[in-house]
């Protein structure tokens, strides 16, 4: 009997603040899974997002991500950036994950196109592009020149997805002003936000 040659494992790594995780993130992950024939997508909530001055407790953000993806057989969440001390750089996270998964793994870093266009400003972009392919998903409001710039970066591929006009900022502002978040975030996430009184306080008012 002929044995089919095995191919390297293909893993999508989706980093973000996920404050909170919302339908835009989930559709982006699902589109990347399909377009790149990924075996799984790992959501990696940032421990201490260095680009943001204020954010919700990492354990809450991790819990919401876990709840949001629980029913999807190919989605998982990693605590790698939560359990590491100090600032966490994407490239270090990817390297640590690759070490764990082994050489026979191809990594696809999923990120918004606007973020990808600024990849040269990230920590050690050359090393990052050596170890991972970057999948830049277009999002509603994506600056078209940024998308073009992302297109031109070697190692970065642009993936068009249905434009979903939702952001963490928007969800937080809705909660604060008592507007609905139903269907913008999974039901379990809306429940968690309510139960833990997230995004309703004065600290959030300063952030959003
Ligand atoms: P905030 O509004 O708090 O800045 P955000 O919704 O942009 O949050 P992040 O957790 O920072 O969410 O995003 C993680 C990644 O997902 C980023 O690369 C971002 O560009 C991308 N992303 C977020 N929302 C969408 C969306 N609606 N469609 C496509 N990509 C998205």
């Amino acid at each position: 009997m002929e044995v089919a040659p095995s191919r390297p494992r293909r893993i999508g790594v989706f980093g973000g603040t996920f404050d909170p995780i919302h339908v835009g993130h989930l559709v982006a992950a699902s589109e990347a899974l399909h377009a790149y024939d990924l075996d799984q997508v790992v959501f990696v909530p940032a421990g201490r997002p260095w680009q943001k001055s204020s954010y919700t407790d990492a354990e809450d953000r991790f819990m919401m991500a876990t709840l949001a993806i629980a029913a999807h057989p190919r989605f998982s969440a990693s605590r790698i950036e939560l359990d590491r001390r100090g600032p966490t750089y994407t490239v270090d996270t990817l390297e640590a994950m690759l070490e764990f998964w082994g050489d026979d793994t191809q990594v696809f870093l999923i990120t918004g196109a606007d973020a990808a266009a600024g990849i040269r400003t990230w920590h050690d972009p050359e090393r990052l592009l050596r170890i991972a392919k970057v999948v830049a998903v277009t999002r509603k409001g994506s600056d078209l020149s940024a998308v073009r710039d992302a297109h031109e970066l070697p190692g970065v591929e642009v993936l068009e997805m249905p434009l979903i006009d939702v952001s963490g900022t928007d969800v937080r502002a809705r909660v604060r002003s008592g507007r609905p978040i139903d269907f913008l975030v999974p039901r379990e996430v809306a429940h968690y936000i309510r139960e833990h009184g997230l995004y309703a306080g004065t600290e959030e008012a300063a952030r959003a």
Side-chain angles (χ1 to χ4, degrees):
M1 191 177 79
E2 227 174 275
V3 180
S6 71
R7 57 157 212 179
R9 207 165 15 173
R10 297 163 74 86
I11 300 187
V13 173
F14 194 3
T17 322
F18 302 124
D19 190 11
I21 192 166
H22 53 68
V23 70
H25 298 131
L26 295 166
V27 172
S30 160
E31 290 289 306
L33 187 83
H34 176 76
Y36 290 90
D37 193 20
L38 303 178
D39 297 303
Q40 56 168 305
V41 173
V42 184
F43 290 73
V44 185
R48 306 177 54 191
W50 55 272
Q51 312 91 326
K52 300 195 178 177
S53 55
S54 156
Y55 44 86
T56 305
D57 189 274
E59 294 296 337
D60 284 323
R61 291 183 287 107
F62 177 76
M63 193 51 78
M64 290 189 282
T66 304
L67 289 168
I69 62 174
H72 196 296
R74 290 183 186 241
F75 287 176
S76 63
S78 165
R79 294 185 58 89
I80 185 166
E81 294 206 350
L82 272 62
D83 294 339
R84 200 184 296 153
R85 282 162 190 258
T88 42
Y89 295 115
T90 306
V91 64
D92 295 332
T93 299
L94 292 175
E95 213 155 62
M97 290 179 127
L98 264 173
E99 207 166 294
F100 175 77
W101 287 319
D103 288 341
D104 201 24
T105 305
Q106 234 183 318
V107 170
F108 297 74
L109 177 70
I110 304 166
T111 182
D114 333 36
I119 208 161
R120 294 273 159 224
T121 67
W122 295 12
H123 187 71
D124 208 343
E126 282 78 21
R127 183 155 57 105
L128 189 149
L129 290 168
R130 259 199 316 275
I131 60 177
K133 187 187 279 289
V134 175
V135 176
V137 294
T138 52
R139 65 184 298 189
K140 172 107 178 163
S142 282
D143 171 358
L144 283 183
S145 68
V147 174
R148 233 183 354 257
D149 290 350
H151 256 305
E152 281 162 12
L153 289 169
V156 177
E157 287 191 18
V158 173
L159 173 64
E160 293 198 10
M161 60 172 268
L163 297 179
I164 297 175
D165 189 9
V166 56
S167 66
T169 306
D170 177 39
V171 173
R172 297 194 300 270
R174 281 173 165 271
V175 174
R176 201 173 64 246
S177 59
R179 284 175 291 149
I181 55 170
D182 298 321
F183 308 110
L184 297 177
V185 301
R187 194 166 43 174
E188 296 77 5
V189 173
H191 183 73
Y192 189 95
I193 290 171
R194 251 194 324 275
E195 286 294 298
H196 292 79
L198 299 184
Y199 309 130
T202 49
E203 187 205 337
E204 175 56 27
R207 177 189 332 172

